[in-house]
Amino acid sequence: MLTAHQISEIRTFLESSQNPIFFFDNDADGLCSFLLLRRWLLRGVGIPAKSFPGLNKSYAKKVAEHNGDMAIILDKPTAEPEFFQELNEKGTPVIWLDHHNMPNQKFENLSYYNSFDNVKKFGEPITYICSKIVNNKGEDWLALVGCIGDHFLPDFSAEACKDFSELWNSVKTPAEAIYKTEMGKLARIFSFALKDKTRNVIQMLKFLYTAKNPYDILNSSEHMLERYEEINKKYQKLVEKAKSSINGNLLFFEYSGDLSISADISNELSYLYPNSLVVVCYIKGEKVNISVRGKKARDITLKAINGIESATGGGHENATGAQVPAHSLDIFKKKIEEMVDC
């Protein structure tokens, strides 16, 4: 957890900006982190960062396009040096909030904050950190959605839902919160709605800037709910298909198409098969995006991509992502199989 001094420092940085540009990870934790800060500041532009695993130079240009005076990175583990070089040339300060197990990032004009604890091997989600920055209990319902979307039950879970008890029940794990409660459904709605055309994502963000409570979203006629239903049908079919790929302690599933939701699929499969290593591979063109869930997923992933040219990967101890060239997928799979008792 960040210290009270660090939280205060971040708050001061944000308040000093007249038009901050927020780059947030393309999932519920990233989205809710941004929403908490945007709803508190009442200014700024939000841009989902879809590049893997971090920010590339193209995102830096968006700061100038939107006349931003500060860049805020939320929940992204890496960023290319060219991203900072582009902003340094214009003297634009960067605030970076992260919780992945990464070495301290040092670039000019960068203030870097990471909640990862090397002793506990854990870092609170960025939504949790942003809830401390905002310090508004009326926004805890939104903070809860982001936290459980990142498989974390915050200490304010029960309090956040006291006015929405029918949307929450007695759960003991983050996975139960995601798959057995309506608040968890909100996290899935957010995640799926981000996987849409840019104009629809912008429309969704504008709506969420002013949503007063979970009912405003669940009972709305917004396109985001239509998008959720559309993707959920395909998602459920993929989950069912993936179940047939279980082989002992390994579930290795490959798919292609127009829907990149490997992280969502791997999360649910890990919930269904808690004792197995889950590997979900989304093949698109010459690249494969991979989500790995299970015990020591990070160590296994890094060993599997070692030696594969152009491969990247990293993340949390038991939940990681990777990208490998499509022609190297068989090599990656063989390495995984050698490390896991099938």
Side-chain angles (χ1 to χ4, degrees):
M1 179 61 193
L2 300 185
T3 65
H5 174 74
Q6 289 175 311
I7 294 295
S8 177
E9 193 171 66
I10 296 169
R11 188 182 294 121
T12 299
F13 276 132
L14 294 173
E15 289 176 330
S16 71
S17 175
Q18 295 306 304
N19 187 29
I21 309 301
F22 296 88
F23 299 102
F24 58 90
D25 198 18
N26 198 44
D27 61 12
D29 183 26
L31 173 59
C32 291
S33 299
F34 161 65
L35 289 173
L36 285 171
L37 298 181
R38 176 60 173 76
R39 286 159 64 101
W40 165 63
L41 274 177
L42 299 178
R43 57 183 182 272
V45 176
I47 299 174
K50 300 182 179 181
S51 58
F52 180 88
L55 295 170
N56 55 40
K57 183 179 179 180
S58 66
Y59 284 98
K61 297 183 181 300
K62 295 182 182 296
V63 177
E65 290 175 8
H66 293 281
N67 297 313
D69 61 355
M70 180 180 290
I72 318 294
I73 304 174
L74 302 172
D75 196 31
K76 295 296 288 184
T78 63
E80 295 178 359
E82 292 78 11
F83 172 85
F84 294 100
Q85 292 169 5
E86 180 87 11
L87 295 177
N88 285 339
E89 291 176 2
K90 298 177 173 58
T92 305
V94 181
I95 312 300
W96 190 351
L97 309 185
D98 192 31
H99 66 132
H100 297 88
N101 183 12
M102 299 293 292
N104 189 32
Q105 308 293 324
K106 296 180 180 179
F107 293 96
E108 189 176 350
N109 286 332
L110 169 65
S111 297
Y112 180 76
Y113 302 88
N114 194 319
S115 66
F116 186 82
D117 189 316
N118 285 310
V119 176
K120 297 180 180 179
K121 301 297 181 183
F122 171 77
E124 290 87 356
I126 304 306
T127 305
Y128 186 87
I129 295 172
C130 290
S131 73
K132 298 301 180 184
I133 296 170
V134 172
N135 193 27
N136 181 355
K137 291 188 179 299
E139 296 281 72
D140 279 355
W141 66 271
L142 184 57
L144 176 61
V145 174
C147 284
I148 61 178
D150 209 56
H151 287 249
F152 176 75
L153 276 182
D155 47 16
F156 53 78
S157 297
E159 182 69 15
C161 293
K162 67 178 183 179
D163 294 329
F164 321 112
S165 57
E166 63 274 25
L167 305 182
W168 188 252
N169 51 42
S170 179
V171 297
K172 297 181 179 179
T173 67
E176 288 179 347
I178 294 174
Y179 302 115
K180 292 187 175 182
T181 73
E182 287 296 290
M183 294 300 284
K185 179 180 178 180
L186 273 178
R188 301 196 306 277
I189 288 173
F190 285 179
S191 179
F192 289 174
L194 283 167
K195 298 166 179 63
D196 203 347
K197 296 178 181 178
T198 299
R199 66 173 181 271
N200 291 330
V201 173
I202 292 175
Q203 178 183 329
M204 174 188 70
L205 293 178
K206 290 180 178 179
F207 167 67
L208 293 177
Y209 290 162
T210 57
K212 295 181 175 61
N213 55 55
Y215 301 115
D216 279 1
I217 302 170
L218 292 170
N219 298 330
S220 75
S221 58
E222 290 292 315
H223 174 76
M224 61 186 295
L225 293 182
E226 295 178 12
R227 182 60 173 169
Y228 167 75
E229 295 296 341
E230 175 187 341
I231 292 183
N232 191 49
K233 290 178 182 178
K234 298 179 181 179
Y235 167 81
Q236 295 298 337
K237 290 180 180 179
L238 287 169
V239 170
E240 286 302 312
K241 185 177 180 180
K243 291 178 181 179
S244 62
S245 300
I246 188 73
N247 180 17
N249 293 323
L250 175 64
L251 193 161
F252 197 102
F253 176 61
E254 304 171 24
Y255 80 101
S256 58
D258 61 351
L259 204 52
S260 179
I261 52 173
S262 58
D264 302 273
I265 295 171
S266 62
N267 284 338
E268 182 157 358
L269 290 172
S270 183
Y271 168 63
L272 296 173
Y273 303 98
N275 297 320
S276 298
L277 183 76
V278 173
V279 184
V280 177
C281 306
Y282 172 61
I283 305 169
K284 185 173 184 179
E286 299 179 354
K287 294 181 179 180
V288 182
N289 291 334
I290 304 169
S291 294
V292 185
R293 303 290 184 268
K295 188 176 181 180
K296 297 184 178 180
R298 187 173 187 271
D299 290 343
I300 293 172
T301 301
L302 294 179
K303 289 178 182 178
I305 66 174
N306 185 35
I308 297 179
E309 187 176 359
S310 302
T312 58
H316 303 295
E317 182 178 2
N318 298 321
T320 65
Q323 188 178 86
V324 302
H327 62 78
S328 299
L329 180 57
D330 287 342
I331 298 174
F332 174 84
K333 182 178 181 180
K334 184 177 180 180
K335 287 186 173 185
I336 291 287
E337 290 174 338
E338 290 174 348
M339 286 184 278
V340 179
D341 182 12
C342 298

